[in-house]
Coordinates of all heavy atoms in Angstrom, one line a residue:
M36 N -13.6 6.8 -11.0 CA -13.5 5.4 -11.6 C -12.9 4.5 -10.6 O -11.9 4.7 -10.2 CB -12.6 5.6 -12.9 CG -12.4 4.4 -13.7 SD -11.7 5.0 -15.3 CE -9.9 4.7 -15.0
P37 N -13.5 3.3 -10.6 CA -13.0 2.3 -9.6 C -11.7 1.8 -10.1 O -11.5 1.6 -11.4 CB -14.1 1.2 -9.5 CG -15.1 1.6 -10.5 CD -14.8 3.0 -11.1
S38 N -10.8 1.5 -9.3 CA -9.5 0.7 -9.7 C -9.6 -0.8 -9.8 O -10.4 -1.4 -9.2 CB -8.6 1.2 -8.6 OG -7.3 0.5 -8.8
T39 N -8.9 -1.2 -10.8 CA -8.8 -2.7 -10.9 C -7.6 -3.2 -10.4 O -7.2 -4.5 -10.8 CB -9.1 -3.1 -12.5 OG1 -7.9 -2.5 -13.1 CG2 -10.4 -2.7 -12.8
T40 N -6.9 -2.6 -9.5 CA -5.5 -3.1 -9.0 C -5.6 -4.2 -8.0 O -4.8 -5.0 -7.9 CB -4.8 -2.0 -8.4 OG1 -4.8 -0.8 -9.4 CG2 -3.4 -2.4 -8.2
G41 N -6.8 -4.5 -7.4 CA -7.0 -5.4 -6.6 C -7.2 -6.8 -6.7 O -6.9 -7.3 -7.9
D42 N -7.8 -7.5 -6.0 CA -7.9 -9.0 -5.9 C -8.8 -9.5 -7.1 O -8.5 -10.6 -7.6 CB -8.5 -9.5 -4.5 CG -7.6 -9.2 -3.5 OD1 -6.4 -9.1 -3.6 OD2 -8.1 -8.9 -2.4
A43 N -9.8 -8.8 -7.6 CA -10.6 -9.4 -8.6 C -9.8 -9.6 -9.9 O -10.0 -10.6 -10.6 CB -11.8 -8.3 -8.9
R44 N -9.0 -8.8 -10.3 CA -8.2 -9.0 -11.5 C -7.1 -10.2 -11.2 O -6.9 -11.0 -12.2 CB -7.5 -7.7 -11.9 CG -6.9 -7.9 -13.3 CD -6.4 -6.4 -13.7 NE -5.2 -6.0 -13.0 CZ -4.6 -4.8 -13.2 NH1 -4.9 -4.1 -14.1 NH2 -3.6 -4.6 -12.3
M45 N -6.5 -10.2 -10.0 CA -5.6 -11.2 -9.8 C -6.3 -12.6 -9.7 O -5.6 -13.6 -10.1 CB -5.0 -10.9 -8.4 CG -4.3 -9.7 -8.3 SD -2.7 -9.6 -9.3 CE -2.2 -8.0 -9.0
A46 N -7.5 -12.8 -9.3 CA -8.2 -14.0 -9.1 C -8.5 -14.6 -10.5 O -8.5 -15.8 -10.6 CB -9.3 -13.8 -8.3
A47 N -8.6 -13.7 -11.5 CA -8.9 -14.1 -12.8 C -7.7 -14.9 -13.6 O -7.8 -15.6 -14.4 CB -9.3 -13.1 -13.7
M48 N -6.5 -14.7 -13.0 CA -5.4 -15.3 -13.6 C -5.1 -16.8 -13.1 O -5.1 -17.0 -11.8 CB -4.1 -14.5 -13.4 CG -4.1 -13.1 -14.0 SD -2.8 -12.0 -13.6 CE -1.6 -12.9 -14.5
P49 N -4.8 -17.8 -14.0 CA -4.4 -19.0 -13.4 C -3.0 -18.8 -12.6 O -2.2 -18.3 -12.9 CB -4.3 -19.9 -14.8 CG -4.3 -18.9 -15.9 CD -4.7 -17.6 -15.4
A50 N -3.1 -20.0 -11.5 CA -1.9 -19.9 -10.7 C -0.6 -20.3 -11.5 O 0.5 -19.9 -11.1 CB -2.2 -20.9 -9.6
S51 N -0.8 -21.0 -12.6 CA 0.4 -21.5 -13.2 C 0.9 -20.6 -14.3 O 1.8 -20.9 -15.1 CB 0.0 -22.8 -13.9 OG -1.0 -22.7 -14.9
A52 N 0.2 -19.4 -14.4 CA 0.5 -18.4 -15.5 C 1.9 -17.8 -15.3 O 2.3 -17.6 -14.2 CB -0.5 -17.3 -15.6
S53 N 2.8 -17.9 -16.3 CA 4.1 -17.3 -16.3 C 4.1 -16.1 -17.1 O 4.3 -16.4 -18.4 CB 5.2 -18.4 -16.5 OG 6.4 -17.8 -16.6
L54 N 4.0 -15.1 -16.6 CA 4.0 -13.8 -17.3 C 5.3 -13.0 -17.3 O 5.9 -13.0 -16.1 CB 2.8 -12.8 -16.9 CG 1.4 -13.5 -17.0 CD1 0.4 -12.7 -16.4 CD2 1.1 -13.8 -18.4
P55 N 5.7 -12.3 -18.3 CA 6.8 -11.5 -18.1 C 6.7 -10.3 -17.1 O 5.6 -10.0 -16.9 CB 7.1 -10.8 -19.6 CG 5.8 -10.9 -20.2 CD 5.1 -12.1 -19.5
R56 N 7.6 -10.0 -16.4 CA 7.5 -8.9 -15.4 C 8.4 -7.7 -15.7 O 9.4 -7.9 -16.4 CB 7.9 -9.5 -14.0 CG 6.9 -10.6 -13.5 CD 7.5 -11.2 -12.2 NE 6.5 -12.1 -11.8 CZ 5.9 -12.1 -10.5 NH1 6.4 -11.2 -9.7 NH2 5.1 -12.9 -10.2
R57 N 8.0 -6.6 -15.2 CA 8.7 -5.3 -15.4 C 9.0 -4.7 -14.0 O 8.1 -4.6 -13.3 CB 8.0 -4.4 -16.2 CG 8.7 -3.1 -16.5 CD 7.8 -2.1 -17.1 NE 8.4 -0.9 -17.4 CZ 8.4 0.2 -16.7 NH1 8.1 0.2 -15.4 NH2 9.1 1.3 -17.0
S58 N 10.1 -4.4 -13.8 CA 10.5 -3.8 -12.5 C 10.2 -2.3 -12.6 O 10.4 -1.7 -13.6 CB 11.9 -3.8 -12.0 OG 12.2 -5.2 -11.8
F59 N 9.5 -1.7 -11.4 CA 9.3 -0.3 -11.5 C 10.1 0.4 -10.5 O 10.5 -0.2 -9.4 CB 7.7 -0.2 -11.0 CG 6.7 -0.7 -11.9 CD1 6.1 -1.9 -11.7 CD2 6.4 0.0 -13.0 CE1 5.2 -2.3 -12.5 CE2 5.4 -0.5 -13.8 CZ 4.8 -1.7 -13.7
T60 N 10.4 1.6 -10.8 CA 11.2 2.4 -9.9 C 10.2 3.2 -9.0 O 9.1 3.3 -9.2 CB 12.2 3.5 -10.7 OG1 11.1 4.3 -11.3 CG2 13.0 2.8 -11.7
R61 N 10.8 3.9 -8.0 CA 10.0 4.7 -7.1 C 9.4 5.7 -7.9 O 8.2 6.2 -7.7 CB 11.0 5.3 -6.1 CG 10.2 6.1 -5.1 CD 11.0 6.7 -3.9 NE 12.0 5.8 -3.5 CZ 13.2 6.2 -3.1 NH1 13.7 7.4 -3.3 NH2 14.0 5.3 -2.7
E62 N 10.2 6.4 -8.8 CA 9.6 7.5 -9.8 C 8.4 6.9 -10.6 O 7.4 7.6 -10.8 CB 10.6 8.0 -10.7 CG 11.7 8.8 -9.9 CD 12.8 7.9 -9.3 OE1 12.9 6.7 -9.6 OE2 13.5 8.4 -8.2
D63 N 8.5 5.7 -11.1 CA 7.4 5.0 -11.9 C 6.1 5.0 -10.9 O 5.1 5.2 -11.4 CB 7.8 3.7 -12.3 CG 8.9 3.7 -13.4 OD1 9.1 4.5 -14.1 OD2 9.6 2.6 -13.4
Y64 N 6.4 4.5 -9.9 CA 5.2 4.3 -8.8 C 4.5 5.5 -8.4 O 3.3 5.6 -8.6 CB 5.9 3.5 -7.6 CG 4.8 3.3 -6.4 CD1 4.1 2.1 -6.5 CD2 4.8 4.1 -5.4 CE1 3.2 1.8 -5.5 CE2 3.8 3.8 -4.3 CZ 3.2 2.6 -4.4 OH 2.2 2.3 -3.3
H65 N 5.3 6.5 -8.2 CA 4.7 7.9 -8.0 C 4.0 8.4 -9.2 O 2.9 9.2 -9.1 CB 5.7 8.9 -7.3 CG 6.1 8.4 -6.0 ND1 5.3 8.5 -4.9 CD2 7.2 7.9 -5.4 CE1 5.8 8.2 -3.9 NE2 7.0 7.8 -4.1
A66 N 4.5 8.2 -10.4 CA 4.0 8.6 -11.6 C 2.6 7.9 -11.8 O 1.7 8.7 -12.3 CB 4.9 8.4 -12.8
M67 N 2.6 6.6 -11.5 CA 1.2 6.0 -11.6 C 0.2 6.6 -10.7 O -1.1 6.6 -11.0 CB 1.5 4.4 -11.3 CG 2.2 3.7 -12.4 SD 2.3 1.9 -12.1 CE 3.7 1.8 -11.0
G68 N 0.6 7.0 -9.5 CA -0.3 7.7 -8.6 C -0.8 9.0 -9.2 O -1.9 9.3 -9.1
R69 N 0.2 9.8 -9.7 CA -0.3 11.1 -10.3 C -1.1 10.8 -11.5 O -2.0 11.8 -11.8 CB 1.0 11.8 -10.6 CG 1.8 12.4 -9.5 CD 2.9 13.4 -9.9 NE 3.8 12.7 -10.8 CZ 5.0 12.1 -10.4 NH1 5.2 12.0 -9.1 NH2 5.8 11.6 -11.3
A70 N -1.0 9.9 -12.2 CA -1.7 9.6 -13.4 C -3.1 9.0 -13.1 O -3.9 9.0 -14.1 CB -1.0 8.7 -14.4
G71 N -3.4 8.6 -11.8 CA -4.6 8.0 -11.5 C -4.7 6.6 -11.7 O -5.8 5.9 -11.5
I72 N -3.5 6.0 -12.2 CA -3.5 4.5 -12.2 C -3.7 3.8 -11.0 O -4.4 2.9 -10.8 CB -2.2 4.0 -13.0 CG1 -2.2 4.7 -14.3 CG2 -2.1 2.5 -13.0 CD1 -0.8 4.5 -15.1
L73 N -2.9 4.4 -9.9 CA -3.0 3.9 -8.6 C -3.8 5.2 -7.8 O -3.5 6.2 -8.0 CB -1.6 3.6 -7.9 CG -0.9 2.6 -8.6 CD1 0.6 2.6 -7.9 CD2 -1.5 1.3 -8.5
T74 N -4.7 4.7 -6.9 CA -5.5 5.7 -6.2 C -5.2 5.5 -4.7 O -4.7 4.5 -4.2 CB -7.0 5.6 -6.5 OG1 -7.5 4.4 -6.0 CG2 -7.3 5.7 -8.0
P75 N -5.5 6.3 -3.9 CA -5.5 6.3 -2.5 C -6.2 5.1 -1.9 O -5.8 4.4 -0.9 CB -6.0 7.5 -1.8 CG -5.8 8.5 -2.9 CD -6.0 7.8 -4.2
E76 N -7.3 4.6 -2.6 CA -8.0 3.5 -2.2 C -7.4 2.2 -2.5 O -7.6 1.0 -1.9 CB -9.4 3.5 -2.8 CG -10.3 4.5 -2.4 CD -10.1 5.9 -2.9 OE1 -9.5 5.9 -4.2 OE2 -10.1 6.9 -2.3
D77 N -6.4 2.2 -3.4 CA -5.6 0.9 -3.7 C -4.7 0.8 -2.5 O -3.9 1.5 -2.2 CB -4.8 1.2 -5.0 CG -5.5 1.2 -6.3 OD1 -6.7 0.6 -6.4 OD2 -5.3 2.0 -7.2
R78 N -4.8 -0.7 -2.1 CA -3.9 -1.0 -1.0 C -2.7 -1.7 -1.6 O -2.7 -3.0 -1.6 CB -4.6 -2.0 0.0 CG -6.0 -1.3 0.6 CD -5.7 -0.7 2.0 NE -4.9 -1.7 2.8 CZ -4.0 -1.0 3.6 NH1 -3.8 0.3 3.7 NH2 -3.3 -1.8 4.3
V79 N -1.8 -0.9 -2.1 CA -0.5 -1.5 -2.7 C 0.6 -0.8 -2.1 O 0.5 0.4 -1.6 CB -0.6 -1.4 -4.2 CG1 -1.8 -2.2 -4.9 CG2 -0.7 0.1 -4.7
E80 N 1.8 -1.4 -2.5 CA 3.1 -0.9 -2.0 C 4.1 -1.4 -3.1 O 3.9 -2.4 -3.8 CB 3.5 -1.2 -0.7 CG 3.7 -2.6 -0.3 CD 3.8 -2.9 1.2 OE1 4.5 -2.0 1.8 OE2 3.5 -4.0 1.6
L81 N 5.3 -0.6 -3.2 CA 6.3 -1.1 -4.0 C 7.4 -1.8 -3.3 O 8.0 -1.2 -2.4 CB 6.9 0.3 -4.7 CG 8.0 0.1 -5.8 CD1 7.5 -0.6 -7.0 CD2 8.5 1.4 -6.2
L82 N 7.6 -3.1 -3.6 CA 8.5 -3.9 -2.9 C 9.5 -4.6 -4.1 O 9.1 -5.3 -4.8 CB 7.9 -5.1 -2.2 CG 7.0 -4.6 -1.0 CD1 6.2 -6.0 -0.4 CD2 7.7 -3.9 0.1
D83 N 10.7 -4.3 -3.8 CA 11.8 -4.8 -4.7 C 11.4 -4.6 -6.2 O 11.4 -5.7 -7.0 CB 12.0 -6.3 -4.5 CG 12.7 -6.5 -3.1 OD1 13.4 -5.6 -2.8 OD2 12.3 -7.5 -2.5
G84 N 10.7 -3.5 -6.6 CA 10.4 -3.3 -8.0 C 9.0 -3.8 -8.5 O 8.7 -3.5 -9.6
E85 N 8.3 -4.4 -7.5 CA 7.0 -4.8 -7.9 C 5.9 -4.2 -7.0 O 6.1 -3.9 -5.8 CB 6.8 -6.4 -7.5 CG 7.8 -7.2 -8.4 CD 7.6 -8.8 -8.2 OE1 6.3 -9.1 -8.0 OE2 8.5 -9.5 -8.4
V86 N 4.8 -4.0 -7.7 CA 3.5 -3.4 -7.0 C 2.8 -4.5 -6.5 O 2.4 -5.4 -7.2 CB 2.8 -2.4 -8.0 CG1 1.5 -2.0 -7.3 CG2 3.6 -1.3 -8.6
V87 N 2.8 -4.5 -5.2 CA 2.2 -5.7 -4.4 C 0.9 -5.2 -3.7 O 0.9 -4.1 -3.0 CB 3.2 -6.4 -3.5 CG1 2.7 -7.6 -2.7 CG2 4.5 -6.8 -4.2
V88 N -0.2 -6.1 -3.8 CA -1.4 -5.8 -2.9 C -1.0 -6.1 -1.6 O -0.6 -7.2 -1.1 CB -2.5 -6.6 -3.6 CG1 -3.8 -6.5 -2.6 CG2 -2.8 -6.3 -5.0
M89 N -1.4 -5.2 -0.7 CA -1.2 -5.1 0.8 C -2.5 -5.8 1.4 O -3.5 -5.5 1.0 CB -0.9 -3.8 1.3 CG 0.3 -3.2 0.9 SD 0.6 -1.6 1.4 CE -0.4 -1.3 2.7
A90 N -2.1 -6.6 2.4 CA -3.2 -7.1 3.3 C -3.9 -5.9 4.0 O -3.1 -5.0 4.5 CB -2.7 -8.1 4.3
P91 N -5.1 -6.0 4.3 CA -5.8 -4.8 5.1 C -5.2 -4.8 6.6 O -4.8 -5.8 7.1 CB -7.3 -5.2 5.2 CG -7.5 -6.6 4.5 CD -6.2 -7.0 4.0
I92 N -5.2 -3.6 7.1 CA -4.6 -3.5 8.5 C -5.8 -3.9 9.4 O -6.9 -3.5 9.3 CB -4.3 -2.0 8.9 CG1 -3.2 -1.6 7.9 CG2 -4.1 -1.8 10.2 CD1 -2.9 -0.2 7.9
G93 N -5.4 -4.9 10.3 CA -6.4 -5.5 11.3 C -6.5 -4.5 12.4 O -5.7 -3.7 12.7
T94 N -7.5 -4.7 13.3 CA -7.7 -4.0 14.6 C -6.3 -4.2 15.4 O -6.0 -3.2 16.1 CB -9.0 -4.3 15.3 OG1 -9.0 -5.8 15.6 CG2 -10.1 -3.9 14.5
R95 N -5.9 -5.3 15.6 CA -4.6 -5.5 16.4 C -3.5 -4.6 16.0 O -2.8 -4.0 16.8 CB -4.3 -6.9 16.5 CG -5.3 -7.7 17.4 CD -4.9 -9.2 17.5 NE -3.5 -9.3 18.0 CZ -2.8 -10.4 18.0 NH1 -3.2 -11.5 17.3 NH2 -1.6 -10.5 18.6
H96 N -3.3 -4.6 14.6 CA -2.2 -3.8 14.1 C -2.4 -2.3 14.3 O -1.5 -1.7 14.8 CB -2.1 -4.1 12.6 CG -1.1 -3.2 11.8 ND1 0.2 -3.8 11.7 CD2 -1.2 -2.1 11.4 CE1 0.9 -2.8 11.0 NE2 0.1 -1.8 10.8
A97 N -3.7 -1.9 14.1 CA -4.0 -0.5 14.3 C -3.8 -0.1 15.9 O -3.3 0.9 16.1 CB -5.4 -0.2 13.9
A98 N -4.1 -1.0 16.7 CA -4.0 -0.7 18.2 C -2.5 -0.7 18.4 O -2.1 0.3 19.3 CB -4.6 -1.7 19.0
G99 N -1.7 -1.6 18.0 CA -0.2 -1.5 18.2 C 0.4 -0.2 17.6 O 1.3 0.4 18.2
V100 N -0.1 0.2 16.5 CA 0.4 1.5 15.8 C 0.1 2.7 16.8 O 0.8 3.5 17.1 CB 0.0 1.7 14.5 CG1 0.1 3.0 13.9 CG2 0.4 0.7 13.6
D101 N -1.2 2.7 17.3 CA -1.7 3.7 18.2 C -0.7 3.8 19.4 O -0.4 4.8 19.8 CB -3.2 3.6 18.5 CG -4.1 3.9 17.6 OD1 -3.8 4.5 16.5 OD2 -5.2 3.4 17.5
R102 N -0.6 2.6 20.0 CA 0.3 2.5 21.3 C 1.6 3.0 21.0 O 2.2 3.8 21.8 CB 0.3 1.2 21.9 CG -0.9 0.7 22.6 CD -0.8 -0.5 23.4 NE -0.4 -1.7 22.7 CZ -1.1 -2.5 21.9 NH1 -2.5 -2.2 21.9 NH2 -0.7 -3.5 21.2
L103 N 2.3 2.6 20.0 CA 3.7 3.0 19.5 C 3.7 4.5 19.4 O 4.6 5.2 19.8 CB 4.2 2.4 18.4 CG 4.7 0.9 18.8 CD1 5.0 0.2 17.3 CD2 5.9 1.0 19.6
T104 N 2.7 5.1 18.7 CA 2.7 6.5 18.4 C 2.6 7.3 19.7 O 3.4 8.4 19.9 CB 1.4 6.9 17.5 OG1 1.6 6.1 16.3 CG2 1.4 8.4 17.1
R105 N 1.8 6.9 20.6 CA 1.7 7.5 22.0 C 3.0 7.3 22.8 O 3.3 8.3 23.4 CB 0.5 7.1 22.7 CG -0.9 7.5 22.3 CD -1.9 7.4 23.2 NE -2.2 5.9 23.4 CZ -3.0 5.1 22.7 NH1 -3.7 5.7 21.7 NH2 -3.1 3.8 22.9
A106 N 3.6 6.2 22.5 CA 4.9 6.0 23.4 C 6.2 6.7 22.9 O 7.1 6.9 23.5 CB 5.1 4.4 23.4
L107 N 6.1 7.1 21.6 CA 7.3 7.9 21.0 C 6.9 9.2 20.7 O 6.7 9.6 19.5 CB 7.6 7.0 19.6 CG 8.0 5.7 19.9 CD1 8.1 5.0 18.6 CD2 9.3 5.5 20.7
P108 N 6.7 10.0 21.7 CA 6.3 11.5 21.5 C 7.2 12.4 20.6 O 8.5 12.0 20.7 CB 6.4 12.0 23.0 CG 7.2 11.3 23.7 CD 7.1 9.8 23.0
G109 N 6.7 13.1 19.8 CA 7.5 13.9 18.9 C 8.1 13.2 17.7 O 8.5 14.0 16.8
R110 N 7.9 11.9 17.5 CA 8.4 11.2 16.4 C 7.5 11.6 15.1 O 8.0 11.6 14.0 CB 8.4 9.8 16.5 CG 9.1 9.2 17.7 CD 10.6 9.3 17.0 NE 11.3 8.6 18.3 CZ 12.7 8.9 18.4 NH1 13.2 9.7 17.7 NH2 13.2 8.3 19.5
R111 N 6.2 12.0 15.3 CA 5.4 12.3 14.2 C 5.1 13.8 14.2 O 4.0 14.1 13.6 CB 4.1 11.5 14.2 CG 4.2 10.0 14.0 CD 4.5 9.6 12.7 NE 3.3 10.0 11.9 CZ 3.3 10.0 10.7 NH1 4.4 9.7 9.9 NH2 2.2 10.4 9.9
A112 N 5.7 14.6 14.9 CA 5.5 16.0 15.0 C 4.0 16.4 15.4 O 3.6 17.3 14.9 CB 5.8 16.7 13.7
G113 N 3.5 15.4 16.2 CA 2.1 15.6 16.8 C 1.0 15.5 15.8 O -0.2 15.8 16.0
L114 N 1.4 14.9 14.6 CA 0.5 14.5 13.6 C -0.2 13.1 13.9 O 0.5 12.2 14.4 CB 1.0 14.5 12.3 CG 1.6 15.8 11.8 CD1 2.3 15.6 10.5 CD2 0.6 16.9 11.6
P115 N -1.5 13.0 13.7 CA -2.2 11.6 14.0 C -1.7 10.7 12.9 O -1.5 11.1 11.8 CB -3.7 12.0 13.9 CG -3.8 13.2 13.0 CD -2.5 14.1 13.3
V116 N -1.7 9.4 13.2 CA -1.3 8.3 12.3 C -2.6 7.8 11.7 O -3.5 7.4 12.5 CB -0.6 7.2 12.9 CG1 -0.3 6.2 11.9 CG2 0.8 7.8 13.4
R117 N -2.9 7.9 10.4 CA -4.2 7.4 9.8 C -3.9 5.9 9.6 O -2.9 5.5 8.9 CB -4.3 8.1 8.5 CG -4.9 9.6 8.7 CD -5.4 10.2 7.4 NE -5.9 9.3 6.5 CZ -5.8 9.4 5.1 NH1 -5.2 10.5 4.7 NH2 -6.4 8.5 4.4
T118 N -4.9 5.1 9.9 CA -5.0 3.7 9.6 C -6.3 3.4 8.7 O -7.2 4.3 8.7 CB -5.0 2.8 10.8 OG1 -6.2 3.1 11.5 CG2 -3.7 3.2 11.7
A119 N -6.3 2.3 8.1 CA -7.5 1.9 7.4 C -8.8 1.7 8.2 O -9.9 1.8 7.7 CB -7.2 0.5 6.7
T120 N -8.6 1.6 9.7 CA -9.7 1.6 10.5 C -10.4 2.9 10.8 O -11.3 2.9 11.5 CB -9.4 0.8 11.8 OG1 -8.4 1.6 12.4 CG2 -9.0 -0.6 11.4
G121 N -9.6 3.9 10.3 CA -10.2 5.3 10.6 C -9.7 5.9 11.8 O -10.3 7.1 12.2
R122 N -8.9 5.2 12.4 CA -8.4 5.7 13.8 C -7.2 6.5 13.7 O -6.5 6.5 12.7 CB -8.1 4.5 14.8 CG -9.4 3.8 15.0 CD -9.1 2.4 15.7 NE -7.9 2.4 16.6 CZ -7.9 2.2 17.8 NH1 -9.0 1.9 18.4 NH2 -6.8 2.2 18.5

């Protein structure tokens, strides 16, 4: 089932809308993932109690992560770092 957490739902709201907000805890955030409300395809993160849509990782960012991962041996226990670019 496709998620509606992304930009399409956000674009439908007028910029001047003042809606009540609810702060989420880390436990709430993980429970939303377990319940399927948030999926691995949703590019979101929890910041100061709000679930925020993340910008996509660009190629320059991915290349920088790759360089840092190689420069800091043992920091990831030999595990590859997954990025949105599939590298």
Side-chain angles (χ1 to χ4, degrees):
M36 177 166 98
S38 173
T39 58
T40 306
D42 299 326
R44 193 170 66 180
M45 301 293 183
M48 298 176 69
S51 63
S53 177
L54 301 173
R56 294 181 177 227
R57 177 189 187 276
S58 289
F59 294 100
T60 65
R61 185 181 317 141
E62 292 78 22
D63 294 334
Y64 181 78
H65 289 291
M67 287 188 276
R69 288 190 300 273
I72 296 168
L73 299 175
T74 67
E76 291 78 33
D77 290 323
R78 301 263 320 139
V79 296
E80 60 186 334
L81 183 65
L82 296 175
D83 295 325
E85 292 188 33
V86 178
V87 179
V88 177
M89 296 175 15
I92 296 173
T94 55
R95 288 180 62 198
H96 178 94
V100 169
D101 287 344
R102 281 193 303 275
L103 281 172
T104 302
R105 284 192 298 271
L107 302 170
R110 300 283 186 207
R111 298 279 302 164
L114 299 174
V116 175
R117 285 185 36 207
T118 65
T120 61
R122 295 168 31 119

